[in-house]
Amino acid sequence: MTPLVGRATELELLDAVLDRTLGEDGDCSVVDLAGTAGIGKSRLMAEFCRRAQARGMTVLRGRASEYEQHIPYQPFSDALADHDMELTDPGAEDARGDRFGLQRSIAKLLVHIARSGPGTGLVVTLDDLHWADPASLELLDHLVRHPPNAPVVIVVARRDRQTTASLDAALTRGIDMGTVLRLNLGPLAEQACVEILAPDLAPGTQPGRAAELYAASDGNPLYFLALLQAGQAGRDAGQDAPPHSAGLGSVLLDELTPLTPAQRRTAEAVAVLGDRGSTALLSVVTGRDEAEVTADLGALTDRDLLRPGPGGRWALRHPVLRAVVHESTRPLERVRMHRLAADALAAAGAPAGERAHHVEQSLTGWDPHAVAVLSEAAERSAATAPASSAHWLGVALTHLPEQPQHATLRRDLMLRRARALGVCGGLRESRDLLHEVIAMSPPDEAGTPRSVRASAVTLCAVMERHLGRYAEAVALLRRELARTPGPSDADAVELGLELGSSAPHSTAYPQLRAEVAGTLDLARALGDEVAEAGALAIAALGETYEGNMGAAREASDRAAALVDALTDHDLAGLCEPLARLGWAEAFLERYADAERHADRGLAIARRGGQLYVLPHLLLCKAYVRLQTLRLDSAMELADEAETIARGIGSDELLAFVLANKGYAQMFALPPGDQGALVVAEEAVAAAGTRTNWWASIAWCVLGQAAMHAGDAQRARAAVLRGGGENLNALHPSMRPLILEILVTSAVLTGDTDAAATWADRARKEAEELDLPSQQASALRSTAHCRSAAGDTAAAAALFEEAVDRTARGGAVLWEAFSLLLGAPLTAARNPDRARAMWTRARQLAETGGARQLTGLADAIHPLVHVTPPAQPPAPLPGLSAREREIAALVADGLTTPAIAARLFLSPRTVESHLSRIYRKTGVTSRAALAVLQTRLELRDTTNGPTGST
């Protein structure tokens, strides 16, 4: 191995990472090694692994490769090869799995390895990550945002200029979170190359010549070593060294010049096969027997062109060398080798995902068998690696002839590709592809019960919705419903349900109410209970947004009755309306029903791979757990929803997710933590200039986060920005709670008139809603105003009434909050009651993980647990001020000289005062005077004056 020189600073930082990871509070760290090709990232990574192994850590090594960028999870699969983890092709039984569930499983596996290995801790190295497939990058992003709770170090090496935006964003986000250490590797110093590397690797090289080669290499170790070795090889052959102006590719190719044709072909086969070049497979690809191939491998190893890997596989010395050899192979020969590799893998029973890469590289025209392999690979990776699925389908479409007999297949592949693109961030590309599918599908196809055209229109509307283009989604759906001939009844129901999902974001629900009712009637006429339940769920959520709680309760009851009577199989296509039912029940403060339906929807959606709906179900459950004060699990659910939203790539959805996450963080994080404010700011940024429901929610959460951060002015501005004129953009069923932010802001800024106006509006709207939490919020708003006006007794009574409302409704979060606001005011008139309020609130907050509320409880503790101030002792009757002072000192046990010294009097004067005190009080000794004084201080006057003793 090439000696490591010139990286002392980096090694010191890496040693510190190991020290921290293996310390008492050892946790996960990510190290980002960035730099140009050949700068020494892999060598530094190897040294880090050596040092970790010396400390007893388990080390797993994986690498991404340039020509296998669409094999899912390749670098992780490579690293975990020794742990029986098959990630590249989960098999038919897992084809509908949840890729985000797989991410969590891998994180748990890393924890297991770290804690159960032969030593302590785990190091996972992922080299050349700039070539990683999208599924691997999503997994890394998950690990950065949710570091495994174990002594794990993940080291990634990448070329900074070839890094994708998503990978760079994930690592940069980790730097901001403090979980990623970035090391940007620069050129080596000239002294290290000329005085250490050159004498060690090419002893005959003169220092002057080594300096020239260093200058030509720009300090790049790989380039310097290639030039150095080329010069050494030339001298060994009696030739002049190649000019140092030659390109790196030319220098590396020059290493192949001495090879025999057979050895050259073996090297090319290794380049084609990448890290999967076993001797048996190389024999098939080269068309030679294994003994001959083995001899070639030995010769290539002697020249340091090949290196053995795990499992009897071979790889070229460096990825740059592999690229040079692969690209210099004659195109027809390269195609032939890939075809032979695909055939050999098929004969060996390799999964379609592994064969698809070689099939792609060998395709030169239409090949039904090859397209079948690509289609199978796409199907198997659709759920766990949708970007790879979309890629394989794109390759198949590229080679599919534009002929009528292939039209049905083309449309099927396009629809599948659009679905895959829609769940891996390619929303616009998916939408555009779906428009092509719609154009290829004639309207008269609507005679079939379920047409491809209706499915394409519905899915296209979903893409438009996720892009925040609600008007376009509604127009597309209404145009399709109005076509002549029109869609079948079944298609009309499908289109109508999506219309009910899209329209409320761009228009008021009352304008859509008749169309939802029409879809409901049509579903009922068809006897389609699933669609009927879906339409009722849309109606329930729409009515809650309008504040029509009576209609919302009725629709919710009917939807729940249908849903509860259906099987999971029946509900397989109903996950999104099921999420709406859960949210409607949550807003109606039916928390148990909401969580029950969210749980059921999550189970069905995970099995069916319905990623669009998972964030909505997760957040519904998180919202319920926030309201019922189970914040740790609420945060976990919000984190999972964020992972999925980022994977889908919808800013619209991300804004909604981050708003809900920030809302939970406000109560989960301790006072002074700005995390919730940061997340709320990102939510507003993701919402952009939109003015729909989700954007208004994001702005209101920002307002509440600003209030928690102590910025009342910003809080007011954010709520008014989100609410629009007259606050009509705010969610009516939650408006009293949002108005409380404005009331609090106005009170804190001294605008009592505005506070009273907002509080009065909150009271009126809460009465109409008849929701306990909203009524409690309105009571708190009025209490804030009363307290500001100095009427603490009325304010305390209002806070206690708010406690009663929230307790009856089951919103434990607001019960604890109301208790804490009311306790300090109650303390003035009923200290015992105040202490009981504080104790219950503190227990609820601590049990529920509400660190914000426990911090508030601790802050108000001195106001509630007040120690009554010591009352001045009742003066002894008839004594002067000086005499009372002396009597108190006698009770404290001071002698006459001590009293004299304390009061700057003579002992004679003190004795004169004592004589007068005895005469006035009727006592005759110091002891009796001390008892009398003590009783008076304890307010013990039951025995009257003490007689002489």
Side-chain angles (χ1 to χ4, degrees):
M1 182 179 292
T2 305
L4 181 66
V5 297
R7 300 297 186 195
T9 300
E10 289 84 353
L11 286 173
E12 184 177 346
L13 292 171
L14 292 174
D15 280 337
V17 169
L18 291 176
D19 291 339
R20 185 171 63 252
T21 303
L22 296 176
E24 290 185 5
D25 300 325
D27 53 9
C28 180
S29 297
V30 178
V31 178
D32 174 25
L33 301 180
T36 59
I39 202 65
K41 303 181 295 295
S42 299
R43 181 63 187 86
L44 184 61
M45 180 181 282
E47 177 62 20
F48 181 77
C49 290
R50 187 190 67 78
R51 296 185 179 209
Q53 286 175 319
R55 295 174 184 233
M57 301 181 75
T58 300
V59 175
L60 303 178
R61 307 184 191 195
R63 179 190 292 272
S65 52
E66 182 176 7
Y67 300 104
E68 292 83 19
Q69 295 184 44
H70 297 287
I71 296 179
Y73 303 102
Q74 191 210 1
F76 286 93
S77 182
D78 188 24
L80 294 166
D82 295 334
H83 288 267
D84 299 323
M85 284 298 297
E86 179 56 68
L87 302 179
T88 58
D89 201 326
E93 68 276 9
D94 297 323
R96 298 189 305 163
D98 171 11
R99 77 185 196 264
F100 302 106
L102 181 59
Q103 292 171 8
R104 294 190 298 276
S105 296
I106 297 304
K108 291 178 182 178
L109 176 65
L110 297 182
V111 171
H112 173 73
I113 296 172
R115 291 178 176 169
S116 62
T120 301
L122 169 68
V123 170
V124 180
T125 66
L126 304 170
D127 207 351
D128 291 325
L129 214 64
H130 51 279
W131 285 326
D133 60 281
S136 293
L137 297 183
E138 276 192 352
L139 175 53
L140 178 66
D141 180 48
H142 175 81
L143 294 172
V144 168
R145 287 187 296 106
H146 307 288
N149 185 23
V152 177
V153 182
I154 301 172
V155 186
V156 303
R158 62 187 178 88
R159 298 179 189 173
D160 45 7
R161 295 183 181 179
Q162 292 176 251
T163 297
T164 62
S166 61
L167 174 57
D168 187 61
L171 293 170
T172 300
R173 190 158 46 243
I175 293 173
D176 295 337
M177 294 169 57
T179 58
V180 173
L181 168 66
R182 174 169 292 170
L183 298 179
N184 289 299
L185 301 189
L188 285 180
E190 181 175 356
Q191 181 181 12
C193 290
V194 173
E195 298 183 10
I196 301 176
L197 284 181
D200 184 68
L201 299 176
T205 305
Q206 296 298 316
R209 178 58 177 164
E212 291 179 11
L213 296 179
Y214 174 83
S217 71
D218 291 326
N220 185 295
L222 176 66
Y223 204 164
F224 178 74
L225 292 174
L227 292 170
L228 196 64
Q229 291 170 356
Q232 183 69 35
R235 284 192 301 276
D236 292 344
Q239 302 169 354
D240 292 334
H244 58 69
S245 60
L248 179 58
S250 299
V251 172
L252 294 175
L253 277 176
D254 190 63
E255 293 189 61
L256 307 182
T257 302
L259 301 182
T260 66
Q263 291 169 349
R264 173 72 179 249
R265 188 160 62 252
T266 300
E268 291 171 347
V270 172
V272 164
L273 293 172
D275 294 335
R276 287 164 173 75
S278 66
T279 303
L281 196 54
L282 287 167
S283 176
V284 173
V285 171
T286 59
R288 302 167 66 232
D289 62 49
E290 291 192 28
E292 293 175 317
V293 170
T294 300
D296 290 343
L297 293 173
L300 294 170
T301 303
D302 290 341
R303 290 182 175 274
D304 196 28
L305 291 170
L306 293 189
R307 300 220 174 131
R313 296 178 177 181
W314 297 85
L316 285 156
R317 182 183 71 226
H318 193 279
V320 174
L321 180 60
R322 183 197 175 189
V324 168
V325 174
H326 190 275
E327 294 305 318
S328 66
T329 304
R330 288 176 298 167
L332 292 178
E333 180 66 13
R334 188 167 62 234
V335 168
R336 186 186 70 83
M337 286 184 173
H338 278 293
R339 183 177 297 114
L340 289 171
D343 293 342
L345 289 169
E354 190 171 341
R355 290 180 280 141
H357 160 67
H358 295 290
V359 168
E360 176 188 2
Q361 295 297 321
S362 63
L363 266 178
T364 56
W366 167 239
D367 182 346
H369 174 72
V371 169
V373 173
L374 294 171
S375 179
E376 181 185 354
E379 181 67 24
R380 287 175 175 269
S381 61
T384 55
S388 295
S389 178
H391 173 77
W392 302 136
L393 292 167
V395 172
L397 284 166
T398 300
H399 292 88
L400 187 64
E402 291 278 1
Q403 296 173 351
Q405 63 266 35
H406 299 300
T408 301
L409 177 59
R410 175 175 295 278
R411 192 174 60 167
D412 174 65
L413 294 176
M414 291 171 68
L415 186 59
R416 288 172 56 195
R417 186 165 192 265
R419 287 197 182 100
L421 288 168
V423 296
C424 68
L427 297 175
R428 289 176 176 79
E429 190 177 356
S430 173
R431 175 200 60 193
D432 295 343
L433 193 58
L434 287 165
H435 278 299
E436 292 185 44
V437 175
I438 295 168
M440 294 169 60
S441 306
D444 57 7
E445 182 188 58
T448 59
R450 292 286 191 198
S451 69
V452 173
R453 180 184 178 90
S455 296
V457 170
T458 302
L459 186 57
C460 189
V462 171
M463 295 302 109
E464 295 283 26
R465 178 152 54 94
H466 282 306
L467 288 167
R469 292 163 52 90
Y470 298 108
E472 289 80 359
V474 170
L476 177 66
L477 292 163
R478 284 188 167 146
R479 184 188 68 178
E480 190 65 22
L481 286 165
R483 277 189 177 278
T484 304
S488 68
D489 288 346
D491 285 344
V493 169
E494 180 183 2
L495 295 165
L497 289 175
E498 177 54 33
L499 180 63
S501 303
S502 300
H505 290 271
S506 61
T507 186
Y509 179 74
Q511 299 177 30
L512 184 70
R513 190 177 283 124
E515 289 170 284
V516 174
T519 301
L520 175 61
D521 291 341
L522 185 55
R524 188 178 293 120
L526 291 173
D528 188 344
E529 291 184 321
V530 174
E532 184 181 351
L536 285 167
I538 290 172
L541 186 58
E543 298 295 0
T544 62
Y545 267 93
E546 293 303 315
N548 300 321
M549 293 304 154
R553 290 186 181 96
E554 180 185 356
S556 177
D557 288 340
R558 292 168 62 192
L562 283 170
V563 164
D564 292 343
L566 293 168
T567 67
D568 284 1
H569 177 75
D570 294 331
L571 295 171
L574 190 67
C575 284
E576 195 159 8
L578 196 56
R580 291 189 184 89
L581 173 60
W583 272 112
E585 290 170 329
F587 291 143
L588 289 168
E589 301 183 18
R590 298 174 171 179
Y591 299 126
D593 290 336
E595 184 166 7
R596 177 168 57 85
H597 288 131
D599 276 333
R600 192 175 182 194
L602 283 168
I604 297 170
R606 291 192 197 283
R607 286 197 298 270
Q610 299 180 54
L611 296 178
Y612 303 109
V613 72
L614 280 175
H616 301 280
L617 291 162
L618 289 164
L619 291 178
C620 176
K621 186 174 179 179
Y623 177 82
V624 169
R625 298 220 159 176
L626 168 63
Q627 298 300 313
T628 54
L629 215 54
R630 292 171 285 171
L631 275 168
D632 290 341
S633 61
M635 287 302 303
E636 291 175 4
L637 293 162
D639 284 340
E640 184 181 352
E642 181 188 358
T643 297
I644 298 172
R646 292 189 185 278
I648 290 174
S650 168
D651 287 342
E652 180 80 2
L653 179 60
L654 183 62
F656 180 60
V657 169
L658 291 176
N660 279 273
K661 178 179 178 178
Y663 188 38
Q665 280 184 324
M666 273 187 281
F667 300 97
L669 299 177
D673 192 310
Q674 299 293 305
L677 185 61
V678 171
V679 170
E681 289 171 341
E682 187 180 356
V684 166
T689 58
R690 301 182 185 94
T691 56
N692 55 44
W693 289 348
W694 290 355
S696 69
I697 290 172
W699 279 103
C700 290
V701 170
L702 176 62
Q704 194 162 0
M707 182 63 69
H708 277 249
D711 192 341
Q713 293 284 7
R714 188 184 187 189
R716 179 178 183 277
V719 171
L720 295 178
R721 167 63 176 79
E725 188 176 358
N726 296 322
L727 302 181
N728 289 330
L730 299 182
H731 190 328
S733 68
M734 296 183 68
R735 195 147 50 204
L737 193 58
I738 299 170
L739 284 166
E740 186 179 355
I741 303 172
L742 293 175
V743 171
T744 307
S745 170
V747 168
L748 292 176
T749 55
D751 192 349
T752 54
D753 290 341
T757 301
W758 296 128
D760 186 57
R761 180 173 177 180
R763 178 185 57 77
K764 293 176 180 177
E765 295 200 19
E767 288 175 357
E768 294 178 3
L769 292 172
D770 192 24
L771 295 173
S773 291
Q774 301 303 317
Q775 291 173 331
S777 177
L779 289 166
R780 289 196 301 271
S781 290
T782 304
H784 290 310
C785 295
R786 294 286 187 274
S787 179
D791 191 351
T792 56
L798 288 166
F799 279 127
E800 291 215 40
E801 188 177 351
V803 170
D804 292 338
R805 296 288 176 91
T806 53
R808 288 202 302 269
V812 184
L813 168 68
W814 300 116
E815 179 187 353
F817 186 63
S818 301
L819 284 166
L820 290 173
L821 292 181
L825 301 180
T826 303
R829 57 189 176 84
N830 191 341
D832 291 339
R833 169 65 178 162
R835 284 190 289 271
M837 292 169 66
W838 182 92
T839 300
R840 173 163 173 75
R842 184 66 166 72
Q843 289 173 342
L844 290 175
E846 187 169 8
T847 302
R851 296 168 184 83
Q852 179 71 227
L853 297 186
T854 55
L856 175 60
D858 293 341
I860 67 170
H861 182 276
L863 302 177
V864 177
H865 297 76
V866 178
T867 301
Q871 297 294 323
L876 286 167
L879 298 186
S880 67
R882 175 65 78 183
E883 291 168 347
R884 289 197 299 271
E885 191 175 18
I886 292 174
L889 294 175
V890 168
D892 287 340
L894 271 68
T895 63
T896 295
I899 294 173
R902 173 77 62 88
L903 301 179
F904 301 99
L905 301 173
S906 69
R908 185 186 294 274
T909 302
V910 171
E911 288 294 337
S912 296
H913 282 299
L914 282 172
S915 297
R916 287 193 292 271
I917 292 170
Y918 294 154
R919 185 174 63 251
K920 290 180 180 179
T921 60
V923 299
T924 59
S925 69
R926 282 175 171 272
L929 179 60
V931 171
L932 176 61
Q933 179 68 24
T934 301
R935 285 181 177 178
L936 285 173
E937 289 178 356
L938 295 175
R939 304 193 184 282
D940 182 7
T941 59
T942 57
N943 295 326
T946 301
S948 55
T949 59

